[in-house]
């Protein structure tokens, strides 16, 4: 077997395992308060946000996946950039968390209602704001092709006790 054939076989096997795992674990994660199962890819997305490995978030996306944070006005393309966004969030926000409240699957799209929470480093108080996310899924519903997060940045700043004109520090700089 050539190394290319072996690599292709490994990628296909890993993709099949990811899809099977996402499907099998979907029933283990119920939407809070409803008892309904969360689609496996949504459970993986939430676990990745709530975890400490930024690569886990990138891994739930297709290779050319697109992530848009509408509140901040940024877009990231590809797993590496998406993982970088999670890494940046982890440097700015202690205990960043996404708590899924409700999901609605229609075709290849999932609408997720959640609570986005954490404590901006240097802020006097933590925040917990409603968030709606639209996820576009690949054909097998195993990976995310696009993500659009919608929440109120103004509300995050108000709850955090920060001024409306607060901006995050540049990477490696102290918060202002």
């Amino acid at each position: 077997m050539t190394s290319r054939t072996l690599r292709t076989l490994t990628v296909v096997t890993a993709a099949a395992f990811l899809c099977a795992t996402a499907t099998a674990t979907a029933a283990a994660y119920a939407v809070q308060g409803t008892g309904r199962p969360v689609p496996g890819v949504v459970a993986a997305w939430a676990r990745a946000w709530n975890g400490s490995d930024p690569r886990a978030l990138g891994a739930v996306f297709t290779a050319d996946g697109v992530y848009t944070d509408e509140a901040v006005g940024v877009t990231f393309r590809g797993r590496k950039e998406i993982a970088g966004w999670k890494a940046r969030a982890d440097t700015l926000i202690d205990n960043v968390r996404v708590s899924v409240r409700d999901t609605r699957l229609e075709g290849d799209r999932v609408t997720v209602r959640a609570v986005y929470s954490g404590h901006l480093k240097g802020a006097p108080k933590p925040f917990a704001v409603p968030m709606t996310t639209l996820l576009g899924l690949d054909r097998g519903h195993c990976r995310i092709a696009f993500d659009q997060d919608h929440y109120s940045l103004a509300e995050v700043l108000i709850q955090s006790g920060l001024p409306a004109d607060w901006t995050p520090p540049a990477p490696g700089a102290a918060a202002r």
Side-chain angles (χ1 to χ4, degrees), residues 112-131:
V112 180
R113 286 186 326 118
V115 174
Y116 172 50
S117 61
H119 193 147
L120 287 163
K121 292 184 180 177
K125 300 179 287 186
F127 67 89
V129 298
M131 175 174 77

Side-chain angles (χ1 to χ4, degrees), residues 86-136:
K86 165 64 169 144
R88 174 86 166 123
D90 287 346
T91 65
L92 292 173
I93 306 168
D94 285 327
N95 303 317
V96 65
R97 185 153 187 81
V98 172
S99 300
V100 175
R101 299 292 189 226
D102 189 27
T103 62
R104 181 178 181 139
L105 175 64
E106 292 185 30
D108 290 337
R109 294 180 182 214
V110 180
T111 303
V112 180
R113 286 186 326 118
V115 174
Y116 172 50
S117 61
H119 193 147
L120 287 163
K121 292 184 180 177
K125 300 179 287 186
F127 67 89
V129 298
M131 175 174 77
T132 301
T133 298
L134 177 62
L135 300 175

Side-chain angles (χ1 to χ4, degrees), residues 127-146:
F127 67 89
V129 298
M131 175 174 77
T132 301
T133 298
L134 177 62
L135 300 175
L137 307 179
D138 67 357
R139 276 190 194 189
H141 292 190
C142 296
R143 293 194 190 263
I144 299 168
F146 71 84

